[in-house]
Amino acid sequence: MDGVRTSMTFPSRPSRLGLTGVLTGLLLLLSSPPATPAPGGAIPIRGSAYMGMGVLAHDGAADLPDTAAPGSRANLTEGVDVSSYQGDVAWSTLWGSGTKWAYSKATEGTYYKNPYFAQQYTGSYNVGMVHGAYHFATPDTTSGTTQADYFVDHGGGWSKDGKTLPGALDIEWNPYGDSCYGKSTSAMVSWIRDFLNRYKSRTGRSPVIYTATSWWSQCTGNYGGFSASPLWIARYASSAGTLPSGWSSYTMWQYTSSGATVGDHDRFNGSLTKLRDFATG
């Protein structure tokens, strides 16, 4: 599908936001930039996107067993990613089940802050997890530089404490319209570069790039020049599969959207000691 722009219907998740979430959503709907209509499906409210929203809709999930040998699984450290859909998260339950790191959605565009971010970000840290924040990119609304600033200013920073992961840029299918946000491949590469450069200048760390190989191929032309940033690959199958150009290995892998407790589940490509070393920088 390289070079073809598509719109798609995205799956929804059960909401636990209650009245607060409804009011938040209405305010976002009134204040958000207009979305491009998506043929065949309703447009979600701006701010409601979450990491991996387009992976199931576009790439699907292979119902395959985990074929990794037990020894290799032992060298992968379990993690989770959450957004406002999960509400207040039972972090002690996740910790008890072996989840050692977590990313929480902090921001989207320059118009949305996760109302549950404080509980999610601080709660994961308090139970002993290595924690981080992610930003859902909307390249059709504001520049990469502007969105990096918004992210850093609203929870997406980094500290050299061994328990804080560098911020992650969630760059994937547009749930509000055109898959590539109306940008050419060269314009998309420029947008991503601006975000990465600004984030590093503000924090001293290169942000993690979360994406799927199929989106990256379609919307960046499979650009291979961002390997200085760690790769977080999204693929719901028994292996991470073919990686985007420029990366020979992944740092993180989102392998399922149906975690046993809450959230999407992920694996860090290394031991817990290596995870803490990565967090330290």
Side-chain angles (χ1 to χ4, degrees), residues 157-182:
W158 172 75
S159 58
K160 194 180 179 69
D161 59 3
K163 290 187 68 176
T164 303
L165 295 159
L169 172 65
D170 179 357
I171 185 78
E172 58 173 292
W173 293 277
N174 178 13
Y176 311 117
D178 176 78
S179 292
C180 299
Y181 299 86

Side-chain angles (χ1 to χ4, degrees), residues 26-279:
L26 289 173
L27 288 172
L28 285 167
L29 182 62
L30 292 173
S31 61
S32 300
T36 303
I43 299 170
I45 295 172
R46 285 271 181 178
S48 64
Y50 52 84
M51 183 174 277
M53 191 173 189
V55 176
L56 276 174
H58 189 279
D59 289 350
D63 187 16
L64 298 172
D66 185 346
T67 57
S72 63
R73 279 200 300 272
N75 293 323
L76 301 173
T77 306
E78 188 75 9
V80 68
D81 58 90
V82 296
S83 66
S84 61
Y85 283 105
Q86 282 74 40
D88 290 336
V89 174
W91 291 112
S92 59
T93 301
L94 282 165
W95 177 260
S97 68
T99 305
K100 301 303 181 186
W101 57 279
Y103 268 89
S104 303
K105 180 181 177 181
T107 52
E108 177 179 317
T110 53
Y111 50 81
Y112 176 84
K113 297 179 290 182
N114 176 8
Y116 290 93
F117 180 71
Q119 190 276 344
Q120 294 175 352
Y121 188 73
T122 304
S124 56
Y125 181 94
N126 287 343
V127 299
M129 292 185 189
V130 184
H131 70 164
Y134 79 83
H135 173 78
F136 193 94
T138 57
D140 58 335
T141 59
T142 47
S143 71
T145 299
T146 300
Q147 291 193 31
D149 280 333
Y150 187 79
F151 179 43
V152 173
D153 292 341
H154 296 95
W158 172 75
S159 58
K160 194 180 179 69
D161 59 3
K163 290 187 68 176
T164 303
L165 295 159
L169 172 65
D170 179 357
I171 185 78
E172 58 173 292
W173 293 277
N174 178 13
Y176 311 117
D178 176 78
S179 292
C180 299
Y181 299 86
K183 291 191 175 295
S184 66
T185 56
S186 59
M188 182 63 73
V189 167
S190 294
W191 191 98
I192 295 170
R193 181 183 294 112
D194 289 345
F195 185 100
L196 301 182
N197 288 345
R198 184 63 167 180
Y199 186 88
K200 186 172 183 179
S201 73
R202 292 283 307 270
T203 68
R205 286 295 300 268
S206 294
V208 175
I209 295 177
Y210 168 95
T211 195
T213 300
S214 53
W215 184 90
W216 193 263
S217 296
Q218 177 183 337
C219 297
T220 74
N222 205 22
Y223 180 74
F226 292 141
S227 59
S229 283
L231 173 66
W232 188 349
I233 192 67
R235 186 170 188 258
Y236 304 156
S238 59
S239 71
T242 302
L243 303 180
S245 179
W247 287 282
S248 59
S249 64
Y250 65 86
T251 299
M252 299 160 183
W253 167 29
Q254 186 188 63
Y255 68 92
T256 181
S257 63
S258 54
T261 303
V262 297
D264 305 313
H265 275 247
D266 312 90
R267 287 170 179 163
F268 175 81
N269 194 6
S271 66
L272 181 57
T273 298
K274 288 185 177 179
L275 173 67
R276 289 172 175 155
D277 288 344
F278 174 69

